[in-house]
mmCIF file of all heavy atoms in Angstrom:
data_model
loop_
_atom_site.group_PDB
_atom_site.id
_atom_site.type_symbol
_atom_site.label_atom_id
_atom_site.label_comp_id
_atom_site.label_asym_id
_atom_site.label_seq_id
_atom_site.Cartn_x
_atom_site.Cartn_y
_atom_site.Cartn_z
ATOM 1 N N ALA A 205 6.228 8.289 6.013
ATOM 2 C CA ALA A 205 5.133 9.130 6.504
ATOM 3 C C ALA A 205 5.050 10.427 5.713
ATOM 4 O O ALA A 205 3.945 10.907 5.406
ATOM 5 C CB ALA A 205 5.321 9.427 7.990
ATOM 6 N N LEU A 206 6.206 11.007 5.373
ATOM 7 C CA LEU A 206 6.199 12.251 4.596
ATOM 8 C C LEU A 206 5.577 12.026 3.220
ATOM 9 O O LEU A 206 4.829 12.875 2.722
ATOM 10 C CB LEU A 206 7.626 12.784 4.452
ATOM 11 C CG LEU A 206 7.751 14.209 3.899
ATOM 12 C CD1 LEU A 206 7.168 15.220 4.871
ATOM 13 C CD2 LEU A 206 9.219 14.549 3.608
ATOM 14 N N ALA A 207 5.849 10.868 2.606
ATOM 15 C CA ALA A 207 5.225 10.550 1.319
ATOM 16 C C ALA A 207 3.728 10.362 1.471
ATOM 17 O O ALA A 207 2.937 10.817 0.628
ATOM 18 C CB ALA A 207 5.864 9.288 0.733
ATOM 19 N N VAL A 208 3.315 9.706 2.546
ATOM 20 C CA VAL A 208 1.877 9.495 2.776
ATOM 21 C C VAL A 208 1.171 10.840 2.960
ATOM 22 O O VAL A 208 0.109 11.090 2.379
ATOM 23 C CB VAL A 208 1.661 8.589 4.007
ATOM 24 C CG1 VAL A 208 0.174 8.525 4.354
ATOM 25 C CG2 VAL A 208 2.207 7.189 3.741
ATOM 26 N N ILE A 209 1.766 11.720 3.764
ATOM 27 C CA ILE A 209 1.145 13.026 4.011
ATOM 28 C C ILE A 209 1.110 13.854 2.733
ATOM 29 O O ILE A 209 0.090 14.470 2.403
ATOM 30 C CB ILE A 209 1.913 13.765 5.126
ATOM 31 C CG1 ILE A 209 1.793 13.005 6.442
ATOM 32 C CG2 ILE A 209 1.373 15.186 5.287
ATOM 33 C CD1 ILE A 209 2.774 13.450 7.506
ATOM 34 N N GLY A 210 2.211 13.883 1.998
ATOM 35 C CA GLY A 210 2.254 14.653 0.754
ATOM 36 C C GLY A 210 1.243 14.170 -0.260
ATOM 37 O O GLY A 210 0.656 14.973 -1.013
ATOM 38 N N ALA A 211 1.014 12.868 -0.294
ATOM 39 C CA ALA A 211 0.050 12.317 -1.250
ATOM 40 C C ALA A 211 -1.367 12.788 -0.969
ATOM 41 O O ALA A 211 -2.229 12.762 -1.858
ATOM 42 C CB ALA A 211 0.113 10.794 -1.227
ATOM 43 N N SER A 212 -1.635 13.244 0.260
ATOM 44 C CA SER A 212 -2.979 13.747 0.562
ATOM 45 C C SER A 212 -3.279 15.022 -0.202
ATOM 46 O O SER A 212 -4.455 15.402 -0.330
ATOM 47 C CB SER A 212 -3.124 13.995 2.072
ATOM 48 O OG SER A 212 -2.329 15.103 2.491
ATOM 49 N N ALA A 213 -2.254 15.721 -0.701
ATOM 50 C CA ALA A 213 -2.446 16.922 -1.510
ATOM 51 C C ALA A 213 -2.439 16.591 -2.999
ATOM 52 O O ALA A 213 -2.396 17.500 -3.831
ATOM 53 C CB ALA A 213 -1.343 17.936 -1.201
ATOM 54 N N ILE A 214 -2.466 15.296 -3.333
ATOM 55 C CA ILE A 214 -2.412 14.864 -4.732
ATOM 56 C C ILE A 214 -3.595 13.962 -5.073
ATOM 57 O O ILE A 214 -4.318 14.199 -6.039
ATOM 58 C CB ILE A 214 -1.073 14.122 -5.000
ATOM 59 C CG1 ILE A 214 0.102 15.057 -4.745
ATOM 60 C CG2 ILE A 214 -1.048 13.564 -6.416
ATOM 61 C CD1 ILE A 214 1.442 14.364 -4.642
ATOM 62 N N LEU A 215 -3.790 12.900 -4.278
ATOM 63 C CA LEU A 215 -4.874 11.951 -4.533
ATOM 64 C C LEU A 215 -6.224 12.545 -4.125
ATOM 65 O O LEU A 215 -6.302 13.373 -3.225
ATOM 66 C CB LEU A 215 -4.633 10.670 -3.746
ATOM 67 C CG LEU A 215 -3.384 9.852 -4.119
ATOM 68 C CD1 LEU A 215 -3.123 8.790 -3.069
ATOM 69 C CD2 LEU A 215 -3.561 9.218 -5.496
ATOM 70 N N HIS A 216 -7.264 12.104 -4.793
ATOM 71 C CA HIS A 216 -8.602 12.488 -4.367
ATOM 72 C C HIS A 216 -8.862 11.871 -3.000
ATOM 73 O O HIS A 216 -8.514 10.704 -2.755
ATOM 74 C CB HIS A 216 -9.653 11.996 -5.370
ATOM 75 C CG HIS A 216 -11.001 12.619 -5.170
ATOM 76 N ND1 HIS A 216 -11.874 12.185 -4.173
ATOM 77 C CD2 HIS A 216 -11.632 13.641 -5.803
ATOM 78 C CE1 HIS A 216 -12.972 12.908 -4.220
ATOM 79 N NE2 HIS A 216 -12.863 13.799 -5.205
ATOM 80 N N PRO A 217 -9.454 12.625 -2.051
ATOM 81 C CA PRO A 217 -9.621 12.087 -0.690
ATOM 82 C C PRO A 217 -10.431 10.803 -0.626
ATOM 83 O O PRO A 217 -10.220 9.985 0.281
ATOM 84 C CB PRO A 217 -10.291 13.236 0.069
ATOM 85 C CG PRO A 217 -10.814 14.164 -0.961
ATOM 86 C CD PRO A 217 -9.916 14.015 -2.143
ATOM 87 N N ALA A 218 -11.329 10.580 -1.553
ATOM 88 C CA ALA A 218 -12.087 9.331 -1.532
ATOM 89 C C ALA A 218 -11.159 8.140 -1.739
ATOM 90 O O ALA A 218 -11.291 7.101 -1.075
ATOM 91 C CB ALA A 218 -13.171 9.359 -2.598
ATOM 92 N N ASP A 219 -10.207 8.268 -2.662
ATOM 93 C CA ASP A 219 -9.231 7.207 -2.897
ATOM 94 C C ASP A 219 -8.183 7.177 -1.784
ATOM 95 O O ASP A 219 -7.776 6.112 -1.316
ATOM 96 C CB ASP A 219 -8.530 7.418 -4.242
ATOM 97 C CG ASP A 219 -9.505 7.364 -5.405
ATOM 98 O OD1 ASP A 219 -10.408 6.513 -5.375
ATOM 99 O OD2 ASP A 219 -9.351 8.191 -6.326
ATOM 100 N N TYR A 220 -7.766 8.359 -1.382
ATOM 101 C CA TYR A 220 -6.700 8.465 -0.385
ATOM 102 C C TYR A 220 -7.145 7.875 0.947
ATOM 103 O O TYR A 220 -6.406 7.104 1.590
ATOM 104 C CB TYR A 220 -6.306 9.933 -0.207
ATOM 105 C CG TYR A 220 -5.227 10.172 0.822
ATOM 106 C CD1 TYR A 220 -3.880 10.125 0.462
ATOM 107 C CD2 TYR A 220 -5.545 10.433 2.147
ATOM 108 C CE1 TYR A 220 -2.880 10.340 1.405
ATOM 109 C CE2 TYR A 220 -4.568 10.647 3.104
ATOM 110 C CZ TYR A 220 -3.234 10.604 2.727
ATOM 111 O OH TYR A 220 -2.253 10.805 3.655
ATOM 112 N N ASN A 221 -8.329 8.204 1.387
ATOM 113 C CA ASN A 221 -8.780 7.775 2.712
ATOM 114 C C ASN A 221 -8.870 6.258 2.819
ATOM 115 O O ASN A 221 -8.469 5.663 3.834
ATOM 116 C CB ASN A 221 -10.128 8.405 3.044
ATOM 117 C CG ASN A 221 -10.030 9.904 3.271
ATOM 118 O OD1 ASN A 221 -8.945 10.473 3.245
ATOM 119 N ND2 ASN A 221 -11.161 10.546 3.470
ATOM 120 N N SER A 222 -9.400 5.617 1.783
ATOM 121 C CA SER A 222 -9.512 4.154 1.845
ATOM 122 C C SER A 222 -8.136 3.507 1.854
ATOM 123 O O SER A 222 -7.911 2.520 2.566
ATOM 124 C CB SER A 222 -10.351 3.644 0.666
ATOM 125 O OG SER A 222 -9.744 4.004 -0.572
ATOM 126 N N ALA A 223 -7.200 4.080 1.085
ATOM 127 C CA ALA A 223 -5.842 3.529 1.053
ATOM 128 C C ALA A 223 -5.148 3.731 2.398
ATOM 129 O O ALA A 223 -4.448 2.832 2.894
ATOM 130 C CB ALA A 223 -5.046 4.180 -0.067
ATOM 131 N N LEU A 224 -5.320 4.910 3.000
ATOM 132 C CA LEU A 224 -4.668 5.168 4.283
ATOM 133 C C LEU A 224 -5.274 4.294 5.375
ATOM 134 O O LEU A 224 -4.558 3.808 6.265
ATOM 135 C CB LEU A 224 -4.793 6.650 4.644
ATOM 136 C CG LEU A 224 -4.154 7.076 5.981
ATOM 137 C CD1 LEU A 224 -2.694 6.627 6.085
ATOM 138 C CD2 LEU A 224 -4.250 8.596 6.159
ATOM 139 N N GLN A 225 -6.584 4.075 5.316
ATOM 140 C CA GLN A 225 -7.225 3.228 6.312
ATOM 141 C C GLN A 225 -6.632 1.813 6.243
ATOM 142 O O GLN A 225 -6.355 1.181 7.273
ATOM 143 C CB GLN A 225 -8.734 3.185 6.053
ATOM 144 C CG GLN A 225 -9.549 2.824 7.266
ATOM 145 C CD GLN A 225 -10.946 3.423 7.199
ATOM 146 O OE1 GLN A 225 -11.324 4.032 6.200
ATOM 147 N NE2 GLN A 225 -11.715 3.257 8.253
ATOM 148 N N GLU A 226 -6.424 1.334 5.042
ATOM 149 C CA GLU A 226 -5.837 0.008 4.861
ATOM 150 C C GLU A 226 -4.401 -0.023 5.376
ATOM 151 O O GLU A 226 -3.977 -0.982 6.035
ATOM 152 C CB GLU A 226 -5.885 -0.370 3.382
ATOM 153 C CG GLU A 226 -5.429 -1.788 3.084
ATOM 154 C CD GLU A 226 -5.600 -2.135 1.613
ATOM 155 O OE1 GLU A 226 -6.453 -1.508 0.952
ATOM 156 O OE2 GLU A 226 -4.878 -3.035 1.140
ATOM 157 N N LEU A 227 -3.637 1.046 5.120
ATOM 158 C CA LEU A 227 -2.259 1.105 5.599
ATOM 159 C C LEU A 227 -2.211 1.100 7.125
ATOM 160 O O LEU A 227 -1.365 0.418 7.737
ATOM 161 C CB LEU A 227 -1.570 2.362 5.059
ATOM 162 C CG LEU A 227 -0.165 2.645 5.598
ATOM 163 C CD1 LEU A 227 0.807 1.539 5.183
ATOM 164 C CD2 LEU A 227 0.339 4.008 5.121
ATOM 165 N N LEU A 228 -3.101 1.850 7.750
ATOM 166 C CA LEU A 228 -3.102 1.923 9.213
ATOM 167 C C LEU A 228 -3.385 0.554 9.836
ATOM 168 O O LEU A 228 -2.822 0.215 10.898
ATOM 169 C CB LEU A 228 -4.134 2.948 9.684
ATOM 170 C CG LEU A 228 -3.791 4.418 9.395
ATOM 171 C CD1 LEU A 228 -4.992 5.311 9.679
ATOM 172 C CD2 LEU A 228 -2.585 4.868 10.221
ATOM 173 N N VAL A 229 -4.229 -0.231 9.207
ATOM 174 C CA VAL A 229 -4.488 -1.597 9.696
ATOM 175 C C VAL A 229 -3.199 -2.411 9.631
ATOM 176 O O VAL A 229 -2.852 -3.150 10.572
ATOM 177 C CB VAL A 229 -5.612 -2.258 8.885
ATOM 178 C CG1 VAL A 229 -5.728 -3.738 9.246
ATOM 179 C CG2 VAL A 229 -6.935 -1.548 9.125
ATOM 180 N N ASP A 230 -2.465 -2.281 8.517
ATOM 181 C CA ASP A 230 -1.204 -3.008 8.371
ATOM 182 C C ASP A 230 -0.178 -2.570 9.417
ATOM 183 O O ASP A 230 0.613 -3.386 9.900
ATOM 184 C CB ASP A 230 -0.621 -2.785 6.971
ATOM 185 C CG ASP A 230 -1.480 -3.398 5.874
ATOM 186 O OD1 ASP A 230 -2.310 -4.274 6.194
ATOM 187 O OD2 ASP A 230 -1.328 -2.984 4.703
#
Side-chain angles (χ1 to χ4, degrees):
L206 191 66
V208 172
I209 296 166
S212 69
I214 299 166
L215 296 168
H216 193 281
D219 298 320
Y220 179 88
N221 291 356
S222 60
L224 180 52
Q225 203 152 5
E226 186 176 336
L227 174 64
L228 290 170
V229 171
D230 294 341

